[in-house]
């Protein structure tokens, strides 16, 4: 049965979370745990790759809202990339692109993330 | 053409996936376009999530029945469950700019249903039976 999985990868000072399956009221707690752990490890530069995510409900959206403030207060960011049109439409309809950087490709997301981090350091 | 299908689940978030699969399969069979199918699937998920979380407080001995009816160009999904009366029509869609600016969390389920569906009706029967109907003009 398709469920929800997170594959984590480190690229320099950026943590990439590849999320797979569906993010609903049942599975969103797994993503919460991942954010909690990254915060406890002081890893505040997080890129979430949605390529293999098939579905998101408001419970999933709520996880991003719940952690964005504390991550940004620590100088980091949660950035999002490679969403399907179906998932991007949900984010877009609710105006999330105003608050979150959403990139089509992971490569450009990393480049922009690095340039943001370099600027904040200088 | 008339069509009617029903699913009964115990009130647990672990059953949301089965509900979504059921709605997707039936709505597709009824000939709805994919973008409408997606909206209906999400609306039913959000409605059931609220019932499981707020009405049944994760008590999986409770149950939820979902009946789909398609007649001409109207799709009606009637969700029957026991519990307190709560009419989603009393919840307003928030101003999203303010919502995001204030980093609010939660409370987007009913607004999403309102954005996706044409009408929401609640019928409450004493002492504790509710029929929540989501209506979509296809």
């Amino acid at each position: 049965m398709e469920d929800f999985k997170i594959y984590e990868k480190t690229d320099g000072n950026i943590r990439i979370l590849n999320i797979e399956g569906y993010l609903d009221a049942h599975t969103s707690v797994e993503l919460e745990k991942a954010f909690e752990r990254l915060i406890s490890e002081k890893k505040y530069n997080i890129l979430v790759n949605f390529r293999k995510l098939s579905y998101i409900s408001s419970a999933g959206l709520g996880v991003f809202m719940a952690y964005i403030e504390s991550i940004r207060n620590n100088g980091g960011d949660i950035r999002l990339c490679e969403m399907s049109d179906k998932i991007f439409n949900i984010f877009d309809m609710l105006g999330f692109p105003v608050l979150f950087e959403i990139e089509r490709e992971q490569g450009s997301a990393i480049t922009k993330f690095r340039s943001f981090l370099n600027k904040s350091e200088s | 053409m008339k069509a009617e299908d029903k699913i009964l689940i115990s009130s647990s978030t672990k059953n949301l996936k089965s509900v979504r699969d059921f709605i997707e399969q039936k709505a597709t069979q009824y000939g709805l376009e994919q973008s409408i199918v997606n909206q209906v699937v999400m609306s039913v998920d959000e409605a059931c999530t609220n019932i499981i979380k707020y009405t049944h407080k994760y008590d999986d001995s409770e149950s939820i029945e979902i009946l789909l009816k398609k007649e001409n160009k109207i799709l009606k999904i009637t969700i029957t469950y026991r519990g307190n009366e709560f009419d989603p029509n009393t919840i307003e869609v928030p101003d999203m700019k303010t919502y995001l600016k204030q980093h609010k969390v939660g409370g987007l389920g009913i607004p999403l249903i309102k954005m996706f569906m044409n009408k929401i009706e609640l019928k409450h029967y004493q002492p504790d039976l509710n029929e929540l109907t989501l209506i979509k003009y296809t």
Side-chain angles (χ1 to χ4, degrees):
Chain A
M1 190 186 84
E2 188 196 19
D3 201 356
F4 178 71
K5 292 186 189 76
I6 305 173
Y7 294 98
E8 200 172 316
K9 204 182 147 187
T10 303
D11 188 326
N13 53 355
I14 299 172
R15 283 293 172 103
I16 303 166
L17 302 184
N18 290 293
I19 56 175
E20 282 191 30
Y22 55 86
L23 199 44
D24 64 4
H26 191 59
T27 60
S28 55
V29 65
E30 296 302 320
L31 186 60
E32 281 175 16
K33 283 186 203 160
F35 281 133
E36 292 285 353
R37 185 177 41 75
L38 289 171
I39 289 170
S40 72
E41 292 170 1
K42 300 192 189 311
K43 304 294 179 197
Y44 302 121
N45 307 324
I46 305 164
L47 176 63
V48 183
N49 188 313
F50 282 68
R51 193 187 323 145
K52 292 189 177 170
L53 194 81
S54 58
Y55 176 81
I56 191 164
S57 73
S58 70
L61 297 170
V63 180
F64 295 99
M65 289 303 292
Y67 292 96
I68 190 67
E69 199 169 8
S70 64
I71 296 269
R72 283 191 182 156
N73 287 344
N74 282 291
D77 202 4
I78 301 172
R79 297 193 168 207
L80 320 173
C81 69
E82 303 209 9
M83 282 178 189
S84 65
D85 289 345
K86 174 184 154 186
I87 289 179
F88 178 76
N89 285 343
I90 306 290
F91 276 83
D92 193 38
M93 198 180 69
L94 294 169
F96 275 54
V98 171
L99 189 63
F100 292 91
E101 294 285 337
I102 305 173
E103 281 290 320
R104 273 203 175 274
E105 304 291 332
Q106 180 171 299
S108 58
I110 290 176
T111 309
K112 287 190 180 173
F113 209 161
R114 289 244 157 80
S115 116
F116 158 79
L117 295 170
N118 289 338
K119 272 183 206 159
S120 12
E121 275 170 19
S122 58
Chain B
M1 190 200 90
K2 261 189 177 179
E4 203 175 297
D5 290 280
K6 194 193 276 187
I7 185 173
L8 179 72
I9 58 155
S10 63
S11 191
S12 164
T13 55
K14 71 171 193 281
N15 293 324
L16 290 169
K17 169 83 167 108
S18 308
V19 170
R20 291 195 301 270
D21 288 348
F22 171 79
I23 303 287
E24 169 133 28
Q25 191 200 348
K26 297 303 171 191
T28 307
Q29 276 175 15
Y30 297 169
L32 271 62
E33 24 174 298
Q34 190 59 49
S35 61
I36 293 180
V37 173
N38 294 343
Q39 293 178 352
V40 172
V41 166
M42 193 166 184
S43 300
V44 176
D45 177 324
E46 298 293 348
C48 290
T49 298
N50 279 351
I51 295 164
I52 294 165
K53 210 169 156 181
Y54 301 113
T55 309
H56 294 157
K57 299 184 169 55
Y58 299 103
D59 175 2
D60 63 7
S61 68
E62 296 283 355
S63 58
I64 303 174
E65 182 194 283
I66 302 155
L67 172 71
L68 264 85
K69 269 189 194 177
K70 169 92 184 332
E71 198 173 347
N72 300 321
K73 288 195 166 292
I74 302 173
L75 178 73
K76 283 189 183 182
I77 305 116
T78 301
I79 305 171
T80 307
Y81 61 99
R82 295 206 173 270
N84 291 339
E85 179 179 8
F86 170 72
D87 187 351
N89 290 300
T90 58
I91 301 289
E92 283 187 19
V93 176
D95 172 53
M96 284 311 296
K97 275 189 186 161
T98 315
Y99 180 96
L100 293 163
K101 218 175 175 179
Q102 295 174 347
H103 294 135
K104 289 200 174 172
V105 181
L108 291 179
I110 292 168
L112 277 165
I113 301 172
K114 284 186 155 181
M115 288 178 202
F116 287 146
M117 304 302 287
N118 295 100
K119 215 171 163 187
I120 306 170
E121 288 173 354
L122 179 83
K123 281 187 192 157
H124 181 77
Y125 303 95
Q126 291 299 338
D128 63 355
L129 189 67
N130 298 288
E131 269 182 18
L132 176 68
T133 303
L134 312 181
I135 299 165
K136 181 81 181 172
Y137 305 129
T138 64

